[in-house]
Amino acid sequence: MTLFDKIKKSLFGHDDKDETEVKEKVKSDTDQNKSESAEQPRESDDSDPSHVENAEIAPKNDHEEIPMVESDSDHEALYENGLKKTNESFSSRLNAFFAKFRTVDDNFFDDLEDLLIESDVGYETAAQLADQMRDQAKLEKAYSKDDLKKVIVEKLVTLYAAGGQGKNEHLCSNPEAHPNVYLFVGVNGAGKTTTIAKLAKRFHDQHKKVMMVAADTFRAGAVEQLLEWGKRLDVPVFTGKAQADPAAVVYDAVSQAKTQRIDYLLVDTAGRLQNKVNLMNELRKIEQTIEKQLSGQPNEVLLVIDGSTGQNALLQAKEFNQTTELTGLVLTKLDGSSKGGVVLAIRNEMALPVKLVGLGERAEDLADFDAESYARGLFKGLLKA
């Protein structure tokens, strides 16, 4: 069953007649979807250490996924609550848009494209979807409002699925590696340090040996914040001297982690965009330092982005990806934002998987990203069953 089929089942209902009609409307694209598979990931966010609570993790086998374990009802509620503002914004805009239109013409599709851009799905994604809608509407005469809404949802889901084919949507881990290195990058204020602490707690609660590395050596506050998290979580934090070379700090941290047989080494980095060239050079040097000591590592290079920044998040992702080959994204603060549509933009335009999303302040609100739950949260209430 494709990702869209799963979402359609939960959003559109199970009526056989309705499903047959929808299939007729979207037949050409549904056939294409059969070659696409969807995986399910989930979480991350930014806040005070006192908000961290228990988060259960179940590591999976060889080299691959580390999904979070939680009940289906808890998982569904987490996404529904975390994406409430995005859902209300997107659904109300689209429903209001359809309410004022009486005919579907070129102006309809132009205005639809503008609406999608305003909903933070991205310029390229919005233009692509509007053009596809034009072609499909002409070919199949799917001019009823409900049919068009369903086609819009299907197109968005199809674009999402196609954008990340061949990409691992879960955190990668090699059980034989000591350590597995996760390098976190992103601008200051996006939530890197808090995300690292929440993930450290996740692994620590599973009795894994975890170490955090304070490699933002030129910002005393960043080091102090990570040390405070370490005390609260009972997780060691490796630090160097003030204003030490960050790559040298990471080198020493990796050496110590190898000696101590650490399972996960989580590296915090600087995010000073005002010194963009120096910052990017610094990140490149850190990554090369890790690779020299541990072939094939870091296992993950994760860009942490404040999800409330909308299209700026996409621009940041493109900027950082030019310097270091990102393996995935962490979108924080989605629970306080109406800009969750940016997930579609990043996935479609950059073919980068979102691996974790911040849907609240608690540790367990840093969830593995789950495309099906995300789509349900985004489109709930938009369509009639």
Side-chain angles (χ1 to χ4, degrees):
M1 183 181 288
T2 67
L3 176 59
F4 176 67
D5 289 332
K6 293 177 182 177
I7 294 163
K8 181 174 66 177
K9 208 169 185 181
S10 65
L11 288 176
F12 301 166
H14 300 269
D15 186 89
D16 289 337
K17 181 181 176 185
D18 288 344
E19 291 201 0
T20 300
E21 291 174 355
V22 173
K23 284 177 183 176
E24 288 300 317
K25 299 293 182 189
V26 297
K27 185 176 185 304
S28 60
D29 285 324
T30 305
D31 289 340
Q32 284 183 349
N33 287 349
K34 290 178 182 177
S35 65
E36 299 173 357
S37 62
E39 298 181 31
Q40 303 179 3
R42 316 173 188 102
E43 187 289 7
S44 150
D45 189 355
D46 219 11
S47 117
D48 184 272
S50 61
H51 289 292
V52 174
E53 300 173 10
N54 292 332
E56 296 184 358
I57 308 301
K60 274 200 173 181
N61 45 20
D62 281 352
H63 239 104
E64 282 195 3
E65 312 161 357
I66 314 170
M68 215 166 82
V69 173
E70 57 186 10
S71 72
D72 289 342
S73 59
D74 288 345
H75 176 61
E76 187 173 339
L78 176 63
Y79 268 84
E80 185 175 330
N81 293 332
L83 290 170
K84 186 177 180 181
K85 289 186 178 179
T86 294
N87 170 262
E88 289 173 350
S89 174
F90 185 73
S91 295
S92 62
R93 282 181 178 178
L94 203 54
N95 283 326
F97 169 77
F98 275 102
K100 70 179 183 180
F101 271 95
R102 295 294 176 265
T103 59
V104 177
D105 53 19
D106 284 340
N107 289 333
F108 172 91
F109 293 109
D110 289 340
D111 290 344
L112 174 62
E113 183 176 337
D114 291 341
L115 180 145
L116 291 169
I117 291 171
E118 291 170 3
S119 299
D120 294 291
V121 303
Y123 295 98
E124 291 180 25
T125 305
Q128 201 173 339
L129 183 136
D131 288 344
Q132 289 181 8
M133 288 282 293
R134 278 191 184 92
D135 294 340
Q136 183 155 330
K138 287 175 183 175
L139 288 171
E140 303 186 16
K141 295 182 172 60
Y143 282 165
S144 83
K145 292 176 183 177
D146 286 340
D147 285 339
L148 283 167
K149 286 181 185 179
K150 291 179 180 180
V151 173
I152 288 171
V153 172
E154 186 201 15
K155 292 293 185 184
L156 287 171
V157 172
T158 300
L159 286 173
Y160 176 89
Q165 285 197 28
K167 302 284 185 177
N168 193 331
E169 295 186 312
H170 300 276
L171 292 174
C172 293
S173 172
N174 180 357
E176 302 303 318
H178 298 284
N180 288 277
V181 182
Y182 291 174
L183 181 63
F184 291 80
V185 302
V187 301
N188 291 338
K192 289 195 303 293
T193 306
T194 303
T195 296
I196 289 169
K198 288 181 177 181
L199 194 57
K201 177 168 174 53
R202 177 192 288 197
F203 292 141
H204 183 261
D205 286 350
Q206 285 301 109
H207 308 292
K208 299 295 182 183
K209 295 183 71 175
V210 190
M211 179 186 290
M212 300 185 287
V213 182
D216 187 358
T217 58
F218 291 92
R219 192 163 66 94
V223 177
E224 291 169 4
Q225 186 183 5
L226 204 60
L227 286 169
E228 177 62 24
W229 276 112
K231 290 177 185 176
R232 290 175 180 272
L233 301 176
D234 193 25
V235 169
V237 178
F238 189 94
T239 64
K241 295 180 180 179
Q243 300 191 359
D245 178 9
V249 173
V250 172
Y251 181 93
D252 292 340
V254 171
S255 298
Q256 184 169 313
K258 289 168 69 176
T259 301
Q260 296 182 5
R261 304 281 293 170
I262 295 293
D263 295 308
Y264 294 98
L265 190 68
L266 310 182
V267 183
D268 194 10
T269 63
R272 306 175 304 279
L273 273 187
Q274 63 269 30
N275 295 319
K276 186 169 63 176
V277 175
N278 291 340
L279 171 62
M280 297 307 177
N281 289 338
E282 181 182 297
L283 294 176
R284 191 181 295 112
K285 186 178 177 183
I286 290 173
E287 192 171 6
Q288 290 170 348
T289 298
I290 295 168
E291 192 170 1
K292 283 179 182 177
Q293 291 177 279
L294 298 165
S295 179
Q297 294 227 40
N299 262 339
E300 295 281 2
V301 181
L302 299 170
L303 174 61
V304 181
I305 292 178
D306 181 345
S308 67
T309 61
Q311 287 300 298
N312 284 335
L314 177 60
L315 297 176
Q316 287 175 30
K318 290 180 176 179
E319 189 115 37
F320 276 90
N321 202 46
Q322 290 175 0
T323 299
T324 179
E325 187 176 347
L326 301 173
T327 59
L329 305 178
V330 180
L331 277 177
T332 66
K333 311 178 189 179
L334 282 183
D335 58 306
S337 166
S338 61
K339 298 180 180 291
V342 73
V343 171
L344 298 169
I346 292 172
R347 173 72 171 223
N348 184 49
E349 296 186 28
M350 298 188 65
L352 268 177
V354 176
K355 297 203 172 188
L356 298 168
V357 287
L359 298 169
E361 294 185 341
R362 302 172 304 167
E364 59 266 40
D365 294 337
L366 176 67
D368 299 326
F369 182 72
D370 183 334
E372 184 182 348
S373 297
Y374 166 79
R376 279 202 304 264
L378 183 62
F379 301 126
K380 183 177 181 180
L382 175 62
L383 302 155
K384 295 179 181 178

